[in-house]
Amino acid sequence: MPDCQRCGGCCAWSETWPVLMGPRDGEGIPDDLIDFDNERMQSHGHRCAALDGVIGTRVGCDVYDKRPLVCREFQSGSDDCLMVRRELGLERA
Ligand code: SF4
Ligand code: SF4
């Protein structure tokens, strides 16, 4: 199973991915990390603003306990996970 703490690929895949599913999703996340206009996490390029560390080496989520539902449901080792890792060249991370 891929190690999310070394990877971080899905958190840097697309700015449109970490969406908020309703007003209570992501409750408690600081306002400056949320893109309220588009109802998703704020990003820097494709990278979620809450992602800390170096992709493919060591990463962490600054709002892990409050992260959106889509982040909670994304499964390490799933087809989508493996596709992201392949596309970003993180297969060995
Ligand atoms: S792409 Fe997969 S292994 Fe990488 S952080 Fe996301 S779920 Fe974890
Ligand atoms: S909120 Fe956390 S888990 Fe979700 S995309 Fe951002 S860094 Fe990744």
Side-chain angles (χ1 to χ4, degrees), residues 2 4 15 19-20 22 25 27 29 36 38 40 43-45 47 71:
C4 294
E15 69 275 22
V19 294
L20 300 172
D25 192 19
E27 203 167 34
I29 293 176
F36 287 99
N38 293 301
R40 64 191 187 212
S43 64
H44 305 300
R47 181 178 168 128
C71 308

Side-chain angles (χ1 to χ4, degrees), residues 59-80:
V59 293
C61 171
D62 288 342
V63 295
Y64 188 78
D65 291 344
K66 302 174 177 62
R67 68 196 189 285
L69 188 61
V70 291
C71 308
R72 296 172 189 275
E73 291 189 337
F74 200 86
Q75 295 289 313
S76 173
S78 65
D79 288 349
D80 286 342

Side-chain angles (χ1 to χ4, degrees), residues 36-64:
F36 287 99
D37 289 343
N38 293 301
E39 298 179 340
R40 64 191 187 212
M41 293 297 293
Q42 195 64 259
S43 64
H44 305 300
H46 292 316
R47 181 178 168 128
C48 176
L51 182 64
D52 195 23
V54 178
I55 295 164
T57 301
R58 178 60 57 184
V59 293
C61 171
D62 288 342
V63 295
Y64 188 78

Side-chain angles (χ1 to χ4, degrees), residues 2-5 7-11 74-77 80-82 84-85:
D3 179 356
C4 294
Q5 291 183 307
C7 176
C10 56
C11 307
F74 200 86
Q75 295 289 313
S76 173
D80 286 342
C81 162
L82 299 178
V84 165
R85 287 169 55 81

